[in-house]
Amino acid sequence: MKKFLRNGLMLAAAGTLLFTACDPEETVPENPTISVTTDPADGIVEVNEAISFTANVTAPAGFNTVRLTGVTSEDANITIPSGYQTEYTRNDLGLTAEDTEATAEFGGLSLPVGGEFTFTFLAVDEEGGSVEEDVIITVNDKAATIYTAKLLYAPTVNQESKTFFSTNLGQTVSKNEVDASAAPNSSDIDFGYAAGSSGTLWLASPSSYPSFTEYDLSIWNTLNTTTFVDVALSDEEYMALSTNSDLENAFNNGATPEDRKSGFASGDIFAFQLDEAKNGKYGVVKVTAVVDGNEDGDFIDSTDYIEIEILVQAD
């Protein structure tokens, strides 16, 4: 979409033509024109994928300036980073006032959320004439990876219970499996389940896994730290979580960051961020059931477990 503007004095001068003679060679300069292309050419990128712009301006009155004036969207509020160059003058481009053609390269700019965004570019000539062009960019948000009905069992003496979870493998893992020389490895493990004799439940990073259990993790080469936060999500809000951005927002709106959570019950929801070594991905875990398998009042036996659902950012 282009919008043309011309100095108001030109319009006022036009009215005097009925009463005054003019030089037959004197002409009113044409407004500048602008064409903006994108890389990628279709203007479609993923969240956090860079897009760049090339503005080609023709200004019969002489090129002066081209700038990115703003980004608007009904889907999200976006602020252009302070270090991003949004304006190029003829001096920036090595041009003179007589140059009528200009090309400006606006470097890569990435957006952290999905949606449709309108980038507005303005070109101005040496006599104040101007033109705008709107460029519509689509940013696709990746769908989160979802794991359902995962059972984490209480630690056992034989260390064969599936106590730990790996988000990159998408599966539960026993300590014996990690201790073995083959995969899965300790670097895969993001958190595990534990329970105290008093009935307190724990969801803990390997780096802060409770020492009162049967498991000594000190022999592991890697002890990842997953940070959990409390989130206040209704069932409807939880069910609406579906994209990478949703999970990041859930974590950023959480409270009380800890590398292990205790005292939770069925229905509780936590957001989390994985260890930096796991790219700091965001996720959400919901405890869907706490099961006392042998109904003895505690949760420390081989038949005791918690059932969880996990959402984690996709690659």
Side-chain angles (χ1 to χ4, degrees):
M1 178 187 299
K2 292 183 173 63
K3 304 171 187 175
F4 294 92
L5 304 171
R6 173 54 60 185
N7 193 312
L9 293 176
M10 295 294 182
L11 298 177
T16 66
L17 296 178
L18 297 175
F19 309 102
T20 62
C22 64
D23 186 336
E25 296 184 358
E26 184 178 348
T27 60
V28 177
E30 296 178 11
N31 276 297
T33 61
I34 182 173
S35 174
V36 181
T37 59
T38 63
D39 183 13
D42 60 4
I44 300 175
V45 292
E46 302 290 335
V47 167
N48 292 323
E49 179 185 358
I51 187 167
S52 58
F53 305 86
T54 300
N56 292 291
V57 180
T58 298
F63 171 79
N64 181 275
T65 304
V66 61
R67 68 174 63 96
L68 170 60
T69 60
V71 183
T72 57
S73 174
E74 295 183 357
D75 300 316
N77 294 321
I78 292 295
T79 301
I80 299 174
S82 58
Y84 186 79
Q85 186 167 355
T86 58
E87 178 179 287
Y88 291 88
T89 66
R90 57 180 168 81
N91 291 334
D92 293 329
L93 300 176
L95 304 176
T96 69
E98 287 73 36
D99 286 311
T100 60
E101 303 286 336
T103 297
E105 303 283 349
F106 292 81
L109 183 64
S110 58
L111 301 183
V113 295
E116 188 173 88
F117 301 87
T118 300
F119 287 69
T120 300
F121 292 85
L122 172 72
V124 182
D125 66 21
E126 284 293 312
E127 296 192 5
S130 63
V131 60
E132 286 184 337
E133 175 155 310
D134 290 338
V135 179
I136 297 177
I137 300 303
T138 300
V139 181
N140 293 325
D141 203 350
K142 290 186 177 180
T145 300
I146 303 174
Y147 303 110
T148 60
K150 295 297 181 180
L151 308 184
L152 297 183
Y153 283 86
T156 55
V157 174
N158 64 15
Q159 302 186 0
E160 292 181 355
S161 61
K162 302 282 189 176
T163 300
F164 300 98
F165 188 76
S166 166
T167 57
N168 58 290
L169 298 177
Q171 64 188 43
T172 56
V173 180
S174 71
K175 184 174 184 295
N176 278 349
E177 289 175 310
V178 176
D179 292 347
S181 57
N185 302 307
S186 58
S187 59
D188 293 315
I189 305 305
D190 297 303
F191 52 82
Y193 165 64
S197 57
S198 63
T200 300
L201 308 179
W202 301 78
L203 200 60
S205 302
S207 63
S208 62
Y209 193 76
S211 59
F212 58 75
T213 70
E214 302 286 345
Y215 293 173
D216 176 13
L217 305 190
S218 63
I219 66 171
W220 286 7
N221 293 326
T222 302
L223 295 175
N224 287 322
T225 297
T226 298
T227 302
F228 299 92
V229 295
D230 299 321
V231 292
L233 295 174
S234 66
D235 288 340
E236 291 76 13
E237 290 170 328
Y238 170 75
M239 293 298 295
L241 299 174
S242 63
T243 67
N244 282 3
S245 295
D246 290 340
L247 302 184
E248 182 175 359
N249 291 336
F251 182 87
N252 290 335
N253 290 326
T256 319
E258 300 174 284
D259 51 15
R260 62 184 184 184
K261 286 293 183 182
S262 62
F264 56 84
S266 178
D268 285 353
I269 302 172
F270 307 109
F272 61 81
Q273 184 176 20
L274 300 182
D275 196 282
E276 289 184 5
K278 305 287 288 282
N279 298 318
K281 287 184 178 181
Y282 297 97
V284 170
V285 56
K286 180 178 182 179
V287 181
T288 56
V290 177
V291 178
D292 177 7
N294 58 359
E295 299 182 346
D296 64 350
D298 62 42
F299 299 93
I300 61 176
D301 303 303
S302 61
T303 55
D304 300 337
Y305 63 89
I306 62 171
E307 180 179 330
I308 57 175
E309 292 182 348
I310 307 99
L311 294 84
V312 66
Q313 288 183 317
D315 292 328

